[in-house]
PDB file of all heavy atoms in Angstrom:
ATOM      1  N   LEU A   1       2.402   2.905   8.074  1.00  0.00           N
ATOM      2  CA  LEU A   1       2.212   3.984   7.113  1.00  0.00           C
ATOM      3  C   LEU A   1       3.202   3.812   5.971  1.00  0.00           C
ATOM      4  O   LEU A   1       4.326   3.334   6.163  1.00  0.00           O
ATOM      5  CB  LEU A   1       2.403   5.342   7.789  1.00  0.00           C
ATOM      6  CG  LEU A   1       1.446   5.647   8.943  1.00  0.00           C
ATOM      7  CD1 LEU A   1       1.812   6.984   9.578  1.00  0.00           C
ATOM      8  CD2 LEU A   1       0.001   5.671   8.458  1.00  0.00           C
ATOM      9  N   TYR A   2       2.784   4.215   4.784  1.00  0.00           N
ATOM     10  CA  TYR A   2       3.591   3.985   3.594  1.00  0.00           C
ATOM     11  C   TYR A   2       3.681   5.254   2.755  1.00  0.00           C
ATOM     12  O   TYR A   2       2.815   6.128   2.826  1.00  0.00           O
ATOM     13  CB  TYR A   2       2.977   2.871   2.732  1.00  0.00           C
ATOM     14  CG  TYR A   2       2.768   1.573   3.475  1.00  0.00           C
ATOM     15  CD1 TYR A   2       1.572   1.317   4.142  1.00  0.00           C
ATOM     16  CD2 TYR A   2       3.765   0.609   3.518  1.00  0.00           C
ATOM     17  CE1 TYR A   2       1.384   0.132   4.831  1.00  0.00           C
ATOM     18  CE2 TYR A   2       3.579  -0.585   4.201  1.00  0.00           C
ATOM     19  CZ  TYR A   2       2.387  -0.818   4.860  1.00  0.00           C
ATOM     20  OH  TYR A   2       2.199  -1.989   5.539  1.00  0.00           O
ATOM     21  N   ARG A   3       4.764   5.305   1.974  1.00  0.00           N
ATOM     22  CA  ARG A   3       4.868   6.335   0.940  1.00  0.00           C
ATOM     23  C   ARG A   3       5.158   5.612  -0.362  1.00  0.00           C
ATOM     24  O   ARG A   3       6.067   4.774  -0.435  1.00  0.00           O
ATOM     25  CB  ARG A   3       5.958   7.353   1.273  1.00  0.00           C
ATOM     26  CG  ARG A   3       5.910   8.570   0.357  1.00  0.00           C
ATOM     27  CD  ARG A   3       6.593   9.776   0.995  1.00  0.00           C
ATOM     28  NE  ARG A   3       6.483  10.972   0.170  1.00  0.00           N
ATOM     29  CZ  ARG A   3       5.436  11.774   0.123  1.00  0.00           C
ATOM     30  NH1 ARG A   3       4.378  11.499   0.845  1.00  0.00           N
ATOM     31  NH2 ARG A   3       5.435  12.860  -0.636  1.00  0.00           N
ATOM     32  N   LEU A   4       4.353   5.942  -1.391  1.00  0.00           N
ATOM     33  CA  LEU A   4       4.431   5.245  -2.667  1.00  0.00           C
ATOM     34  C   LEU A   4       4.928   6.167  -3.768  1.00  0.00           C
ATOM     35  O   LEU A   4       4.641   7.364  -3.779  1.00  0.00           O
ATOM     36  CB  LEU A   4       3.048   4.724  -3.082  1.00  0.00           C
ATOM     37  CG  LEU A   4       2.249   3.878  -2.103  1.00  0.00           C
ATOM     38  CD1 LEU A   4       0.915   3.480  -2.740  1.00  0.00           C
ATOM     39  CD2 LEU A   4       3.033   2.638  -1.689  1.00  0.00           C
ATOM     40  N   ILE A   5       5.649   5.553  -4.715  1.00  0.00           N
ATOM     41  CA  ILE A   5       5.898   6.191  -6.012  1.00  0.00           C
ATOM     42  C   ILE A   5       4.829   5.667  -6.957  1.00  0.00           C
ATOM     43  O   ILE A   5       4.667   4.447  -7.119  1.00  0.00           O
ATOM     44  CB  ILE A   5       7.303   5.840  -6.533  1.00  0.00           C
ATOM     45  CG1 ILE A   5       8.365   6.661  -5.815  1.00  0.00           C
ATOM     46  CG2 ILE A   5       7.397   6.091  -8.024  1.00  0.00           C
ATOM     47  CD1 ILE A   5       8.351   8.145  -6.138  1.00  0.00           C
ATOM     48  N   THR A   6       4.066   6.571  -7.587  1.00  0.00           N
ATOM     49  CA  THR A   6       2.964   6.204  -8.471  1.00  0.00           C
ATOM     50  C   THR A   6       3.052   7.030  -9.755  1.00  0.00           C
ATOM     51  O   THR A   6       3.891   7.934  -9.870  1.00  0.00           O
ATOM     52  CB  THR A   6       1.611   6.488  -7.789  1.00  0.00           C
ATOM     53  OG1 THR A   6       1.379   7.910  -7.799  1.00  0.00           O
ATOM     54  CG2 THR A   6       1.581   5.963  -6.360  1.00  0.00           C
ATOM     55  N   PRO A   7       2.174   6.759 -10.724  1.00  0.00           N
ATOM     56  CA  PRO A   7       2.150   7.610 -11.919  1.00  0.00           C
ATOM     57  C   PRO A   7       1.826   9.063 -11.604  1.00  0.00           C
ATOM     58  O   PRO A   7       2.071   9.957 -12.427  1.00  0.00           O
ATOM     59  CB  PRO A   7       1.049   6.978 -12.777  1.00  0.00           C
ATOM     60  CG  PRO A   7       1.002   5.554 -12.340  1.00  0.00           C
ATOM     61  CD  PRO A   7       1.296   5.581 -10.870  1.00  0.00           C
ATOM     62  N   PHE A   8       1.286   9.329 -10.401  1.00  0.00           N
ATOM     63  CA  PHE A   8       0.960  10.692  -9.991  1.00  0.00           C
ATOM     64  C   PHE A   8       2.043  11.301  -9.104  1.00  0.00           C
ATOM     65  O   PHE A   8       1.847  12.363  -8.510  1.00  0.00           O
ATOM     66  CB  PHE A   8      -0.372  10.713  -9.234  1.00  0.00           C
ATOM     67  CG  PHE A   8      -1.531  10.196 -10.032  1.00  0.00           C
ATOM     68  CD1 PHE A   8      -2.025   8.922  -9.816  1.00  0.00           C
ATOM     69  CD2 PHE A   8      -2.125  10.984 -11.016  1.00  0.00           C
ATOM     70  CE1 PHE A   8      -3.094   8.440 -10.552  1.00  0.00           C
ATOM     71  CE2 PHE A   8      -3.195  10.504 -11.752  1.00  0.00           C
ATOM     72  CZ  PHE A   8      -3.682   9.222 -11.529  1.00  0.00           C
ATOM     73  N   GLY A   9       3.182  10.621  -8.994  1.00  0.00           N
ATOM     74  CA  GLY A   9       4.238  11.084  -8.105  1.00  0.00           C
ATOM     75  C   GLY A   9       4.164  10.372  -6.760  1.00  0.00           C
ATOM     76  O   GLY A   9       3.611   9.270  -6.653  1.00  0.00           O
ATOM     77  N   GLU A  10       4.694  11.007  -5.723  1.00  0.00           N
ATOM     78  CA  GLU A  10       4.713  10.402  -4.402  1.00  0.00           C
ATOM     79  C   GLU A  10       3.385  10.645  -3.687  1.00  0.00           C
ATOM     80  O   GLU A  10       2.865  11.765  -3.671  1.00  0.00           O
ATOM     81  CB  GLU A  10       5.860  10.973  -3.560  1.00  0.00           C
ATOM     82  CG  GLU A  10       7.238  10.624  -4.091  1.00  0.00           C
ATOM     83  CD  GLU A  10       8.353  11.021  -3.138  1.00  0.00           C
ATOM     84  OE1 GLU A  10       8.048  11.265  -1.947  1.00  0.00           O
ATOM     85  OE2 GLU A  10       9.511  11.101  -3.573  1.00  0.00           O
ATOM     86  N   LEU A  11       2.850   9.563  -3.086  1.00  0.00           N
ATOM     87  CA  LEU A  11       1.598   9.650  -2.346  1.00  0.00           C
ATOM     88  C   LEU A  11       1.747   8.935  -1.010  1.00  0.00           C
ATOM     89  O   LEU A  11       2.376   7.869  -0.939  1.00  0.00           O
ATOM     90  CB  LEU A  11       0.444   9.008  -3.132  1.00  0.00           C
ATOM     91  CG  LEU A  11       0.105   9.585  -4.511  1.00  0.00           C
ATOM     92  CD1 LEU A  11      -1.002   8.762  -5.164  1.00  0.00           C
ATOM     93  CD2 LEU A  11      -0.315  11.046  -4.403  1.00  0.00           C
ATOM     94  N   ASN A  12       1.182   9.509   0.041  1.00  0.00           N
ATOM     95  CA  ASN A  12       1.095   8.814   1.318  1.00  0.00           C
ATOM     96  C   ASN A  12      -0.020   7.773   1.242  1.00  0.00           C
ATOM     97  O   ASN A  12      -1.059   8.015   0.597  1.00  0.00           O
ATOM     98  CB  ASN A  12       0.813   9.796   2.454  1.00  0.00           C
ATOM     99  CG  ASN A  12       1.971  10.756   2.674  1.00  0.00           C
ATOM    100  OD1 ASN A  12       3.134  10.366   2.594  1.00  0.00           O
ATOM    101  ND2 ASN A  12       1.655  12.018   2.933  1.00  0.00           N
ATOM    102  N   ALA A  13       0.171   6.643   1.892  1.00  0.00           N
ATOM    103  CA  ALA A  13      -0.801   5.559   1.733  1.00  0.00           C
ATOM    104  C   ALA A  13      -1.008   4.786   3.024  1.00  0.00           C
ATOM    105  O   ALA A  13      -0.142   4.746   3.902  1.00  0.00           O
ATOM    106  CB  ALA A  13      -0.359   4.602   0.618  1.00  0.00           C
ATOM    107  N   GLY A  14      -2.184   4.183   3.105  1.00  0.00           N
ATOM    108  CA  GLY A  14      -2.505   3.232   4.159  1.00  0.00           C
ATOM    109  C   GLY A  14      -3.127   2.009   3.529  1.00  0.00           C
ATOM    110  O   GLY A  14      -3.393   1.977   2.319  1.00  0.00           O
ATOM    111  N   LEU A  15      -3.384   0.990   4.335  1.00  0.00           N
ATOM    112  CA  LEU A  15      -3.971  -0.240   3.823  1.00  0.00           C
ATOM    113  C   LEU A  15      -5.487  -0.148   3.815  1.00  0.00           C
ATOM    114  O   LEU A  15      -6.096   0.394   4.745  1.00  0.00           O
ATOM    115  CB  LEU A  15      -3.548  -1.430   4.683  1.00  0.00           C
ATOM    116  CG  LEU A  15      -2.058  -1.731   4.791  1.00  0.00           C
ATOM    117  CD1 LEU A  15      -1.826  -2.955   5.670  1.00  0.00           C
ATOM    118  CD2 LEU A  15      -1.425  -1.930   3.426  1.00  0.00           C
ATOM    119  N   ALA A  16      -6.093  -0.709   2.776  1.00  0.00           N
ATOM    120  CA  ALA A  16      -7.546  -0.843   2.764  1.00  0.00           C
ATOM    121  C   ALA A  16      -7.947  -1.774   3.907  1.00  0.00           C
ATOM    122  O   ALA A  16      -7.232  -2.734   4.232  1.00  0.00           O
ATOM    123  CB  ALA A  16      -8.006  -1.412   1.425  1.00  0.00           C
ATOM    124  N   GLY A  17      -9.081  -1.507   4.523  1.00  0.00           N
ATOM    125  CA  GLY A  17      -9.500  -2.302   5.678  1.00  0.00           C
ATOM    126  C   GLY A  17      -9.589  -3.778   5.382  1.00  0.00           C
ATOM    127  O   GLY A  17      -9.131  -4.618   6.168  1.00  0.00           O
ATOM    128  N   ARG A  18     -10.175  -4.149   4.260  1.00  0.00           N
ATOM    129  CA  ARG A  18     -10.315  -5.565   3.914  1.00  0.00           C
ATOM    130  C   ARG A  18      -8.952  -6.212   3.724  1.00  0.00           C
ATOM    131  O   ARG A  18      -8.720  -7.331   4.172  1.00  0.00           O
ATOM    132  CB  ARG A  18     -11.161  -5.696   2.652  1.00  0.00           C
ATOM    133  CG  ARG A  18     -11.407  -7.139   2.244  1.00  0.00           C
ATOM    134  CD  ARG A  18     -12.337  -7.228   1.044  1.00  0.00           C
ATOM    135  NE  ARG A  18     -12.588  -8.617   0.664  1.00  0.00           N
ATOM    136  CZ  ARG A  18     -13.362  -8.985  -0.351  1.00  0.00           C
ATOM    137  NH1 ARG A  18     -13.973  -8.046  -1.075  1.00  0.00           N
ATOM    138  NH2 ARG A  18     -13.529 -10.250  -0.643  1.00  0.00           N
ATOM    139  N   PHE A  19      -8.044  -5.490   3.039  1.00  0.00           N
ATOM    140  CA  PHE A  19      -6.705  -6.033   2.819  1.00  0.00           C
ATOM    141  C   PHE A  19      -5.986  -6.236   4.153  1.00  0.00           C
ATOM    142  O   PHE A  19      -5.375  -7.273   4.404  1.00  0.00           O
ATOM    143  CB  PHE A  19      -5.926  -5.090   1.908  1.00  0.00           C
ATOM    144  CG  PHE A  19      -4.514  -5.529   1.604  1.00  0.00           C
ATOM    145  CD1 PHE A  19      -4.188  -6.867   1.504  1.00  0.00           C
ATOM    146  CD2 PHE A  19      -3.511  -4.586   1.396  1.00  0.00           C
ATOM    147  CE1 PHE A  19      -2.892  -7.271   1.215  1.00  0.00           C
ATOM    148  CE2 PHE A  19      -2.222  -4.980   1.105  1.00  0.00           C
ATOM    149  CZ  PHE A  19      -1.911  -6.325   1.021  1.00  0.00           C
ATOM    150  N   ALA A  20      -6.052  -5.231   5.033  1.00  0.00           N
ATOM    151  CA  ALA A  20      -5.379  -5.335   6.330  1.00  0.00           C
ATOM    152  C   ALA A  20      -5.916  -6.502   7.146  1.00  0.00           C
ATOM    153  O   ALA A  20      -5.180  -7.151   7.893  1.00  0.00           O
ATOM    154  CB  ALA A  20      -5.548  -4.028   7.101  1.00  0.00           C
ATOM    155  N   PHE A  21      -7.217  -6.806   7.002  1.00  0.00           N
ATOM    156  CA  PHE A  21      -7.840  -7.858   7.791  1.00  0.00           C
ATOM    157  C   PHE A  21      -7.533  -9.241   7.244  1.00  0.00           C
ATOM    158  O   PHE A  21      -7.300 -10.190   8.000  1.00  0.00           O
ATOM    159  CB  PHE A  21      -9.357  -7.632   7.840  1.00  0.00           C
ATOM    160  CG  PHE A  21     -10.094  -8.679   8.623  1.00  0.00           C
ATOM    161  CD1 PHE A  21     -10.071  -8.671  10.009  1.00  0.00           C
ATOM    162  CD2 PHE A  21     -10.816  -9.678   7.973  1.00  0.00           C
ATOM    163  CE1 PHE A  21     -10.741  -9.649  10.735  1.00  0.00           C
ATOM    164  CE2 PHE A  21     -11.493 -10.646   8.682  1.00  0.00           C
ATOM    165  CZ  PHE A  21     -11.459 -10.629  10.077  1.00  0.00           C
ATOM    166  N   THR A  22      -7.542  -9.390   5.918  1.00  0.00           N
ATOM    167  CA  THR A  22      -7.411 -10.722   5.320  1.00  0.00           C
ATOM    168  C   THR A  22      -5.966 -11.135   5.061  1.00  0.00           C
ATOM    169  O   THR A  22      -5.663 -12.323   5.038  1.00  0.00           O
ATOM    170  CB  THR A  22      -8.184 -10.785   3.986  1.00  0.00           C
ATOM    171  OG1 THR A  22      -7.670  -9.788   3.093  1.00  0.00           O
ATOM    172  CG2 THR A  22      -9.672 -10.550   4.230  1.00  0.00           C
ATOM    173  N   ALA A  23      -5.064 -10.175   4.876  1.00  0.00           N
ATOM    174  CA  ALA A  23      -3.673 -10.515   4.567  1.00  0.00           C
ATOM    175  C   ALA A  23      -2.931 -10.926   5.835  1.00  0.00           C
ATOM    176  O   ALA A  23      -3.118 -10.333   6.894  1.00  0.00           O
ATOM    177  CB  ALA A  23      -2.970  -9.331   3.918  1.00  0.00           C
ATOM    178  N   GLY A  24      -2.112 -11.954   5.720  1.00  0.00           N
ATOM    179  CA  GLY A  24      -1.256 -12.334   6.830  1.00  0.00           C
ATOM    180  C   GLY A  24      -0.173 -11.290   7.045  1.00  0.00           C
ATOM    181  O   GLY A  24       0.078 -10.442   6.171  1.00  0.00           O
ATOM    182  N   GLU A  25       0.489 -11.361   8.205  1.00  0.00           N
ATOM    183  CA  GLU A  25       1.516 -10.365   8.515  1.00  0.00           C
ATOM    184  C   GLU A  25       2.594 -10.325   7.440  1.00  0.00           C
ATOM    185  O   GLU A  25       3.072  -9.253   7.063  1.00  0.00           O
ATOM    186  CB  GLU A  25       2.134 -10.672   9.878  1.00  0.00           C
ATOM    187  CG  GLU A  25       3.156  -9.651  10.350  1.00  0.00           C
ATOM    188  CD  GLU A  25       2.560  -8.282  10.611  1.00  0.00           C
ATOM    189  OE1 GLU A  25       1.360  -8.216  10.947  1.00  0.00           O
ATOM    190  OE2 GLU A  25       3.283  -7.283  10.468  1.00  0.00           O
ATOM    191  N   ALA A  26       2.999 -11.498   6.933  1.00  0.00           N
ATOM    192  CA  ALA A  26       4.051 -11.550   5.919  1.00  0.00           C
ATOM    193  C   ALA A  26       3.562 -11.096   4.554  1.00  0.00           C
ATOM    194  O   ALA A  26       4.355 -10.964   3.629  1.00  0.00           O
ATOM    195  CB  ALA A  26       4.615 -12.971   5.823  1.00  0.00           C
ATOM    196  N   GLU A  27       2.239 -10.856   4.420  1.00  0.00           N
ATOM    197  CA  GLU A  27       1.683 -10.400   3.149  1.00  0.00           C
ATOM    198  C   GLU A  27       1.393  -8.905   3.151  1.00  0.00           C
ATOM    199  O   GLU A  27       0.900  -8.366   2.171  1.00  0.00           O
ATOM    200  CB  GLU A  27       0.392 -11.178   2.845  1.00  0.00           C
ATOM    201  CG  GLU A  27       0.636 -12.678   2.672  1.00  0.00           C
ATOM    202  CD  GLU A  27      -0.664 -13.454   2.648  1.00  0.00           C
ATOM    203  OE1 GLU A  27      -1.627 -13.019   3.312  1.00  0.00           O
ATOM    204  OE2 GLU A  27      -0.721 -14.481   1.970  1.00  0.00           O
ATOM    205  N   HIS A  28       1.693  -8.230   4.264  1.00  0.00           N
ATOM    206  CA  HIS A  28       1.575  -6.773   4.284  1.00  0.00           C
ATOM    207  C   HIS A  28       2.745  -6.167   3.519  1.00  0.00           C
ATOM    208  O   HIS A  28       3.856  -6.704   3.540  1.00  0.00           O
ATOM    209  CB  HIS A  28       1.561  -6.262   5.723  1.00  0.00           C
ATOM    210  CG  HIS A  28       0.247  -6.485   6.411  1.00  0.00           C
ATOM    211  ND1 HIS A  28      -0.055  -5.917   7.620  1.00  0.00           N
ATOM    212  CD2 HIS A  28      -0.845  -7.214   6.055  1.00  0.00           C
ATOM    213  CE1 HIS A  28      -1.282  -6.273   7.985  1.00  0.00           C
ATOM    214  NE2 HIS A  28      -1.769  -7.065   7.051  1.00  0.00           N
ATOM    215  N   PRO A  29       2.547  -5.044   2.855  1.00  0.00           N
ATOM    216  CA  PRO A  29       3.635  -4.446   2.070  1.00  0.00           C
ATOM    217  C   PRO A  29       4.812  -4.018   2.945  1.00  0.00           C
ATOM    218  O   PRO A  29       4.649  -3.628   4.106  1.00  0.00           O
ATOM    219  CB  PRO A  29       2.972  -3.232   1.414  1.00  0.00           C
ATOM    220  CG  PRO A  29       1.506  -3.504   1.468  1.00  0.00           C
ATOM    221  CD  PRO A  29       1.282  -4.292   2.712  1.00  0.00           C
ATOM    222  N   VAL A  30       5.997  -4.107   2.352  1.00  0.00           N
ATOM    223  CA  VAL A  30       7.218  -3.600   2.977  1.00  0.00           C
ATOM    224  C   VAL A  30       7.931  -2.740   1.942  1.00  0.00           C
ATOM    225  O   VAL A  30       7.549  -2.705   0.768  1.00  0.00           O
ATOM    226  CB  VAL A  30       8.138  -4.739   3.455  1.00  0.00           C
ATOM    227  CG1 VAL A  30       7.453  -5.603   4.505  1.00  0.00           C
ATOM    228  CG2 VAL A  30       8.617  -5.593   2.283  1.00  0.00           C
ATOM    229  N   ALA A  31       8.964  -2.046   2.376  1.00  0.00           N
ATOM    230  CA  ALA A  31       9.733  -1.231   1.444  1.00  0.00           C
ATOM    231  C   ALA A  31      10.275  -2.101   0.313  1.00  0.00           C
ATOM    232  O   ALA A  31      10.838  -3.168   0.547  1.00  0.00           O
ATOM    233  CB  ALA A  31      10.876  -0.541   2.170  1.00  0.00           C
ATOM    234  N   GLY A  32      10.090  -1.632  -0.911  1.00  0.00           N
ATOM    235  CA  GLY A  32      10.497  -2.389  -2.091  1.00  0.00           C
ATOM    236  C   GLY A  32       9.354  -3.091  -2.780  1.00  0.00           C
ATOM    237  O   GLY A  32       9.464  -3.481  -3.945  1.00  0.00           O
ATOM    238  N   ASP A  33       8.228  -3.276  -2.079  1.00  0.00           N
ATOM    239  CA  ASP A  33       7.081  -3.965  -2.673  1.00  0.00           C
ATOM    240  C   ASP A  33       6.412  -3.109  -3.736  1.00  0.00           C
ATOM    241  O   ASP A  33       6.417  -1.868  -3.685  1.00  0.00           O
ATOM    242  CB  ASP A  33       6.050  -4.305  -1.591  1.00  0.00           C
ATOM    243  CG  ASP A  33       6.211  -5.718  -1.054  1.00  0.00           C
ATOM    244  OD1 ASP A  33       6.560  -6.616  -1.842  1.00  0.00           O
ATOM    245  OD2 ASP A  33       5.985  -5.931   0.151  1.00  0.00           O
ATOM    246  N   TRP A  34       5.774  -3.806  -4.688  1.00  0.00           N
ATOM    247  CA  TRP A  34       4.893  -3.181  -5.665  1.00  0.00           C
ATOM    248  C   TRP A  34       3.453  -3.496  -5.278  1.00  0.00           C
ATOM    249  O   TRP A  34       3.147  -4.627  -4.896  1.00  0.00           O
ATOM    250  CB  TRP A  34       5.176  -3.690  -7.076  1.00  0.00           C
ATOM    251  CG  TRP A  34       6.471  -3.196  -7.648  1.00  0.00           C
ATOM    252  CD1 TRP A  34       7.677  -3.813  -7.616  1.00  0.00           C
ATOM    253  CD2 TRP A  34       6.669  -1.962  -8.351  1.00  0.00           C
ATOM    254  NE1 TRP A  34       8.628  -3.056  -8.248  1.00  0.00           N
ATOM    255  CE2 TRP A  34       8.040  -1.913  -8.713  1.00  0.00           C
ATOM    256  CE3 TRP A  34       5.834  -0.904  -8.703  1.00  0.00           C
ATOM    257  CZ2 TRP A  34       8.581  -0.840  -9.414  1.00  0.00           C
ATOM    258  CZ3 TRP A  34       6.375   0.163  -9.408  1.00  0.00           C
ATOM    259  CH2 TRP A  34       7.736   0.191  -9.752  1.00  0.00           C
ATOM    260  N   VAL A  35       2.581  -2.495  -5.368  1.00  0.00           N
ATOM    261  CA  VAL A  35       1.202  -2.655  -4.928  1.00  0.00           C
ATOM    262  C   VAL A  35       0.244  -2.075  -5.961  1.00  0.00           C
ATOM    263  O   VAL A  35       0.642  -1.329  -6.863  1.00  0.00           O
ATOM    264  CB  VAL A  35       0.970  -1.953  -3.566  1.00  0.00           C
ATOM    265  CG1 VAL A  35       1.852  -2.552  -2.488  1.00  0.00           C
ATOM    266  CG2 VAL A  35       1.203  -0.437  -3.688  1.00  0.00           C
ATOM    267  N   ALA A  36      -1.028  -2.456  -5.812  1.00  0.00           N
ATOM    268  CA  ALA A  36      -2.113  -1.850  -6.579  1.00  0.00           C
ATOM    269  C   ALA A  36      -2.907  -0.979  -5.618  1.00  0.00           C
ATOM    270  O   ALA A  36      -3.363  -1.462  -4.571  1.00  0.00           O
ATOM    271  CB  ALA A  36      -3.001  -2.922  -7.197  1.00  0.00           C
ATOM    272  N   ALA A  37      -3.070   0.288  -5.944  1.00  0.00           N
ATOM    273  CA  ALA A  37      -3.663   1.229  -5.002  1.00  0.00           C
ATOM    274  C   ALA A  37      -4.688   2.127  -5.679  1.00  0.00           C
ATOM    275  O   ALA A  37      -4.614   2.397  -6.889  1.00  0.00           O
ATOM    276  CB  ALA A  37      -2.569   2.091  -4.365  1.00  0.00           C
ATOM    277  N   ALA A  38      -5.638   2.580  -4.887  1.00  0.00           N
ATOM    278  CA  ALA A  38      -6.576   3.608  -5.337  1.00  0.00           C
ATOM    279  C   ALA A  38      -5.963   4.961  -5.004  1.00  0.00           C
ATOM    280  O   ALA A  38      -5.734   5.275  -3.836  1.00  0.00           O
ATOM    281  CB  ALA A  38      -7.920   3.438  -4.619  1.00  0.00           C
ATOM    282  N   ALA A  39      -5.670   5.741  -6.031  1.00  0.00           N
ATOM    283  CA  ALA A  39      -4.955   7.008  -5.841  1.00  0.00           C
ATOM    284  C   ALA A  39      -5.933   8.171  -5.718  1.00  0.00           C
ATOM    285  O   ALA A  39      -6.954   8.234  -6.416  1.00  0.00           O
ATOM    286  CB  ALA A  39      -4.002   7.244  -7.002  1.00  0.00           C
ATOM    287  N   ARG A  40      -5.591   9.087  -4.821  1.00  0.00           N
ATOM    288  CA  ARG A  40      -6.325  10.352  -4.677  1.00  0.00           C
ATOM    289  C   ARG A  40      -5.290  11.482  -4.763  1.00  0.00           C
ATOM    290  O   ARG A  40      -4.894  12.076  -3.749  1.00  0.00           O
ATOM    291  CB  ARG A  40      -7.074  10.387  -3.343  1.00  0.00           C
ATOM    292  CG  ARG A  40      -8.053   9.236  -3.168  1.00  0.00           C
ATOM    293  CD  ARG A  40      -8.912   9.375  -1.914  1.00  0.00           C
ATOM    294  NE  ARG A  40      -8.111   9.396  -0.701  1.00  0.00           N
ATOM    295  CZ  ARG A  40      -7.595   8.311  -0.111  1.00  0.00           C
ATOM    296  NH1 ARG A  40      -7.791   7.105  -0.646  1.00  0.00           N
ATOM    297  NH2 ARG A  40      -6.889   8.426   1.003  1.00  0.00           N
TER     298      ARG A  40
END
């Protein structure tokens, strides 16, 4: 589970299913990473 700082403030986040499936373990986000996300 993740918490992001975004242009909309802080948002709780999870991984998209396709991203979680195709990304290797070392390619999953960690604290400090920058990501592209669909915000709600």
Side-chain angles (χ1 to χ4, degrees):
L1 300 176
Y2 304 90
R3 191 158 184 82
L4 308 180
I5 283 291
T6 75
F8 301 102
E10 294 188 17
L11 300 176
N12 294 321
L15 300 181
R18 182 176 181 180
F19 180 33
F21 179 76
T22 59
E25 184 65 28
E27 297 169 329
H28 284 191
V30 299
D33 265 324
W34 289 94
V35 299
R40 302 187 299 281

